[in-house]
Amino acid sequence: LDLQVVGEYDTRFDQVIVKLCNLNVIQQVSEKTPGATSFLVKTTEYAIPVSHNINVEEELAKLQEELSYLQGFLNSVLKKLDNESFVSKAPAQVIETERKKQADAESKMKSLQESIAALK
């Protein structure tokens, strides 16, 4: 497998990661390969071009299920943030945590939607 990295990342552990994951190469790219399966770690996107090695229908079903879960999760976070009583009574750190959850969910949903579009 090849691992593509979209964004900044720490290259100090590349040799270890290549060995542990049995990778051919880790490449820093500006855009992932169409059809690649991707995941996020914080704000860095990692992609593995595997479109020729997977059952597309099964992968689409899995991605749709994960997207549906995230949509429900995001809705629950937004309900909290829209609730004036919650926002006025909660400590600032709790509100910030909820906003981070919102941003993370939106970022993951965008990545999932891109993966779904690439597989279709």
Side-chain angles (χ1 to χ4, degrees):
L1 295 176
D2 295 340
L3 178 65
Q4 299 175 340
V5 182
V6 181
E8 295 297 319
Y9 79 107
D10 188 351
T11 61
R12 291 181 293 171
F13 302 106
D14 279 4
Q15 291 180 351
V16 174
I17 294 169
V18 166
K19 182 76 172 171
L20 286 173
C21 299
N22 197 24
L23 299 174
N24 292 325
V25 66
I26 297 176
Q27 304 169 318
Q28 189 165 9
V29 297
S30 59
E31 194 172 302
K32 66 183 178 182
T33 302
T37 299
S38 64
F39 58 93
L40 289 171
V41 176
K42 296 189 181 186
T43 58
T44 304
E45 183 176 19
Y46 297 86
I48 301 172
V50 293
S51 58
H52 61 283
N53 293 335
I54 62 170
N55 181 327
V56 175
E57 291 175 6
E58 285 180 13
E59 188 66 20
L60 279 172
K62 184 179 105 182
L63 292 174
Q64 288 286 7
E65 182 179 333
E66 189 173 348
L67 183 61
S68 294
Y69 169 79
L70 280 172
Q71 287 169 334
F73 176 78
L74 180 60
N75 286 338
S76 70
V77 170
L78 290 175
K79 284 180 185 177
K80 285 182 187 178
L81 292 173
D82 289 341
N83 183 339
E84 289 183 33
S85 176
F86 172 78
V87 173
S88 66
K89 293 178 183 177
Q93 184 179 7
V94 172
I95 300 299
E96 186 59 34
T97 300
E98 292 302 315
R99 288 196 174 118
K100 182 168 179 4
K101 287 179 186 178
Q102 176 187 1
D104 289 347
E106 288 171 345
S107 179
K108 288 177 183 178
M109 287 173 61
K110 181 181 178 218
S111 178
L112 284 172
Q113 289 166 340
E114 289 172 357
S115 294
I116 289 169
L119 287 174
K120 286 185 176 181

